[in-house]
Amino acid sequence: MPKPNTNTIKVEGLNEVKRALKKLGYSVKESRSLVNKSLRPAAQKAKKALKGKYKYRTKNKVPGQRYDASTKTKTVGKSIADSIGLKTAKKSKFPSIYVGTIIKRLNPTWVKGKKSKNLPAMLIEGTKERFHKSGKSVGRIEHMHDFPKEVVDQKGTDIANTAQRDVMKMLDKMIKQAGFK
């Protein structure tokens, strides 16, 4: 099982925003939804940067090539860059949006009734030595460079500033709607 990703961009002051929204009469779920909506543009920036890293730094990797016996052709699945997406934490107590590979988009394969790792997933995480049934070695795949960490290091402050700006805009709008200004 892969270890959880520790590359996060935290926006300071979201607890104060949640308290302010509670004072304005919004429930926890409504305020979380409003904050997530205002965090989305920053998450889009992170998604675009991460897609670019995977797209241009992994050009030589064939993304999930499969042989279709019925048509006798090889089809190429989606690349890792195509699988990068946004996932809103709906059941989380805290407002958050995750950016990364969405496994549903990665051409899953089934081996003996279980979902197997596909090529893009193996390229990200790497594999140990693999073997055929006959015992012949297939080789191993080295894990990929940590592109999410690079995005956090290079664009983290810009993304966090965008998030803070948008959250403050949203809060100002809510205060005006409540008639306090």
Side-chain angles (χ1 to χ4, degrees):
M1 180 161 183
K3 63 181 179 182
N5 199 343
T6 57
N7 302 322
T8 58
I9 298 173
K10 295 196 185 252
V11 180
E12 299 294 321
L14 286 181
N15 288 331
E16 290 80 16
V17 172
K18 282 171 47 180
R19 276 190 229 115
L21 287 170
K22 191 172 184 178
K23 287 180 184 175
L24 291 174
Y26 290 96
S27 70
V28 174
K29 188 175 182 180
E30 288 172 327
S31 64
R32 186 181 66 227
S33 296
L34 288 169
V35 172
N36 277 341
K37 187 176 177 183
S38 63
L39 289 175
R40 193 158 285 279
Q44 290 286 359
K45 265 188 180 180
K47 175 183 148 187
K48 184 177 178 185
L50 190 58
K51 262 190 177 206
K53 290 275 184 207
Y54 277 111
K55 188 172 187 176
Y56 297 112
R57 301 266 304 271
T58 60
K59 278 186 176 178
N60 60 344
K61 307 279 188 195
V62 177
Q65 190 169 12
R66 303 279 189 270
Y67 179 73
D68 186 5
S70 62
T71 60
K72 297 186 174 148
T73 59
K74 289 183 180 179
T75 58
V76 176
K78 292 183 177 182
S79 69
I80 298 170
D82 294 332
S83 70
I84 303 290
L86 301 178
K87 180 94 172 149
T88 304
K90 293 178 183 171
K91 297 188 181 191
S92 173
K93 201 166 145 182
F94 306 104
S96 49
I97 297 177
Y98 300 109
V99 179
T101 54
I102 296 178
I103 299 299
K104 289 182 197 174
R105 296 183 188 170
L106 284 177
N107 313 320
T109 55
W110 297 86
V111 178
K112 295 183 183 174
K114 295 181 183 176
K115 194 180 265 189
S116 172
K117 281 187 184 179
N118 49 44
L119 187 59
M122 286 192 284
L123 289 174
I124 291 171
E125 298 167 13
T127 64
K128 58 185 182 185
E129 191 73 23
R130 297 173 301 144
F131 300 94
H132 279 294
K133 282 183 183 177
S134 65
K136 179 183 170 191
S137 174
V138 179
R140 59 185 291 245
I141 298 174
E142 293 292 328
H143 67 86
M144 220 177 249
H145 190 69
D146 196 2
F147 294 126
K149 184 178 183 327
E150 277 187 22
V151 169
V152 169
D153 292 343
Q154 291 174 356
K155 301 197 179 230
T157 54
D158 180 39
I159 293 168
N161 290 338
T162 301
Q164 285 178 332
R165 183 193 69 222
D166 290 342
V167 168
M168 292 313 295
K169 269 189 199 175
M170 181 264 314
L171 190 57
D172 288 340
K173 184 179 171 185
M174 295 297 129
I175 290 170
K176 283 180 185 176
Q177 282 180 348
F180 291 118
K181 269 191 176 180

